[in-house]
């Protein structure tokens, strides 16, 4: 089973982090605490970097898998022709 994550905008990520940090309190309360905003912004930025890295790694693996499948198909086709000619 492959887990897919949708890419979030930086604003959406920041709001999600703030909601976690506020534990159910209104978002307006976050604007009253500058330190909380700084921490949330740093955490959101780190999470976005991590998600971008994971997406790049997933795409790299998919490309490698595709190349391996193409090579196997090309090798199987070429080998079958050589055997038939002998």
């Amino acid at each position: 089973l492959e887990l897919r994550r949708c890419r979030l905008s930086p604003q959406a990520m920041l709001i999600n982090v703030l909601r976690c940090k506020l534990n159910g309190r209104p978002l307006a309360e976050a604007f009253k605490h500058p330190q909380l905003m700084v921490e949330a912004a740093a955490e959101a930025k780190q999470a976005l970097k991590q998600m971008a890295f994971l997406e790049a790694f997933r795409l790299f693996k998919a490309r490698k898998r595709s190349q391996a499948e193409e090579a196997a198909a090309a090798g199987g086709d070429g080998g079958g022709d050589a055997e038939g000619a002998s």
Side-chain angles (χ1 to χ4, degrees):
L1 179 67
E2 186 174 330
L3 178 64
R4 296 271 179 160
R5 297 182 184 185
C6 62
R7 181 169 288 196
L8 295 176
S9 69
Q11 295 85 0
M13 182 65 75
L14 178 61
I15 289 171
N16 286 342
V17 170
L18 283 172
R19 284 182 177 161
C20 288
K21 288 188 171 291
L22 289 171
N23 295 324
R25 294 178 296 182
L27 281 176
E29 205 169 304
F31 296 104
K32 298 175 186 175
H33 303 286
Q35 185 60 30
L36 180 68
M37 291 293 291
V38 169
E39 291 172 7
E43 188 175 332
K45 186 176 181 180
Q46 182 63 31
L48 286 168
K49 283 182 182 179
Q50 183 179 13
M51 287 180 73
F53 174 76
L54 291 174
E55 178 67 12
F57 185 70
R58 186 189 68 78
L59 291 173
F60 174 76
K61 280 179 46 178
R63 185 170 21 122
K64 284 296 197 181
R65 187 180 318 117
S66 175
Q67 289 173 348
E69 289 171 357
E70 288 175 6
D77 290 343
D81 292 340
E83 289 176 13
S86 298

